[in-house]
Amino acid sequence: MRQPLPADMFDELCPSSLNPIRFGDKWAALVIRCLEHGPRRFSELRVPLRRVTPKVLTQSLRSLERDGLVRRTVRTPHVEYELTPVGRSMLEPMAVACAWAERHWDELLDARESYDNANRLDRAR
Amino acid sequence: MRQPLPADMFDELCPSSLNPIRFGDKWAALVIRCLEHGPRRFSELRVPLRRVTPKVLTQSLRSLERDGLVRRTVRTPHVEYELTPVGRSMLEPMAVACAWAERHWDELLDARESYDNANRLDRAR
DNA sequence: CAGCATCCTACCTGATACTG
DNA sequence: CAGTATCAGGTAGGATGCTG
């Protein structure tokens, strides 16, 4: 059987809010990655995405569903979310974006820090 | 000498606001593409980006500068914006994202339409 | 279990007008 | 030319509490 999603799945990596490359809304990319290896239930998704309120997670899922990237199926007594072929095809550009982010993450943070420091000094003067 | 940027550069393609894949803020990807072939001045950028107010374009440029993707240089009597190496490296994931969007654009629009129609019927009932 | 309802805040984006 | 100042609207995201 498929493994449950680890609760700390996104603790380290993917500070997607800081990444200039974004897929859909704030959590969409993480949701897609959660569905990479097969369908998941709402409550399963909530484990790694435990910092997302149910309302916001629902919004994200609805948006993905609207774009045809995710399919929502009522499989009584549960509801399952799974990637459509189009949704799955998004993994490729996501992987490229992730590779870019990993390669340039430090430069990016350094640039931001320098910029902010320079700016702070400017205002102090 | 470098060609001026065509005013209709973004009239047809890249409805980036609808694209689920986004690079930075609303206009960042277009700015980067404008700088692809060399430095540009603010007023040059305003030609293809004529629907962006100067304030918003400035914001976008500042944000790109902060992330170290664009360098702003005062080359009296002008100001020039150009891609840094990191900024240039972003062209690759952008190209991949563009390819994805082109390939799946129609599916995406169809999915949205079906979804919205189904939803409208639901509410009518 | 899988959400919805309400309320609220912050940010993004833009229109318009003005300036060193 | 290359912006800044001000004001305003809309939307995204979230806190909290409730429900079939």
Side-chain angles (χ1 to χ4, degrees), chain A residues 8-103:
Chain A
D8 60 354
M9 188 171 173
F10 299 121
D11 276 6
E12 294 292 329
L13 92 150
C14 278
S16 69
S17 53
L18 298 178
N19 195 324
I21 311 181
R22 279 192 39 176
F23 295 80
D25 61 23
K26 186 171 179 182
W27 305 103
L30 303 190
V31 171
I32 289 177
R33 300 217 44 184
C34 287
L35 298 176
E36 191 171 349
H37 302 296
R40 296 288 181 180
R41 289 184 285 145
F42 192 82
S43 52
E44 286 183 285
L45 295 173
R46 292 207 63 194
V47 174
L49 299 169
R50 63 193 188 284
R51 282 192 292 266
V52 189
T53 63
K55 192 203 86 172
V56 173
L57 180 56
T58 301
Q59 280 177 1
S60 197
L61 285 165
R62 290 287 183 279
S63 169
L64 288 166
E65 201 191 342
R66 183 169 106 102
D67 284 355
L69 306 177
V70 162
R71 181 169 32 246
R72 177 181 183 276
T73 314
V74 182
R75 238 186 273 285
T76 317
H78 294 309
V79 179
E80 273 190 355
Y81 293 94
E82 62 188 322
L83 290 181
T84 63
V86 187
R88 185 161 297 278
S89 77
M90 204 141 174
L91 288 169
E92 187 208 342
M94 275 176 52
V96 174
C98 259
W100 182 90
E102 269 180 46
R103 200 168 330 136

Side-chain angles (χ1 to χ4, degrees), chain B residues 21 56 58 64 66 90-91 115:
Chain B
I21 310 181
V56 173
T58 302
L64 288 166
R66 183 170 107 101
M90 203 138 173
L91 288 169
Y115 185 93

Side-chain angles (χ1 to χ4, degrees), chain B:
Chain B
M1 206 256 165
R2 236 174 326 110
Q3 296 302 315
L5 296 166
D8 62 353
M9 189 171 171
F10 299 122
D11 276 7
E12 295 291 328
L13 93 151
C14 277
S16 70
S17 54
L18 298 178
N19 196 324
I21 310 181
R22 280 192 38 176
F23 294 79
D25 62 23
K26 186 170 180 183
W27 306 105
L30 303 190
V31 171
I32 289 177
R33 301 216 44 183
C34 287
L35 298 176
E36 191 171 348
H37 302 296
R40 296 286 181 180
R41 289 184 285 146
F42 192 82
S43 53
E44 286 183 285
L45 295 173
R46 292 206 65 193
V47 175
L49 299 169
R50 63 193 189 284
R51 281 192 292 266
V52 188
T53 63
K55 191 201 85 170
V56 173
L57 180 56
T58 302
Q59 280 177 2
S60 196
L61 285 165
R62 291 287 183 279
S63 168
L64 288 166
E65 201 191 345
R66 183 170 107 101
D67 284 356
L69 306 177
V70 161
R71 181 170 30 248
R72 177 181 182 278
T73 313
V74 182
R75 238 187 273 286
T76 316
H78 293 308
V79 178
E80 272 189 353
Y81 293 94
E82 63 187 322
L83 290 182
T84 63
V86 187
R88 185 162 297 280
S89 77
M90 203 138 173
L91 288 169
E92 186 210 341
M94 276 174 52
V96 174
C98 259
W100 182 90
E102 268 179 46
R103 200 167 329 137
H104 298 285
W105 194 244
D106 292 341
E107 297 173 83
L108 198 83
L109 290 187
D110 287 353
R112 280 187 193 174
E113 210 182 315
S114 321
Y115 185 93
D116 291 346
N117 282 339
N119 230 307
R120 205 157 350 119
L121 290 176
D122 271 359
R123 267 183 287 139
R125 260 198 280 113

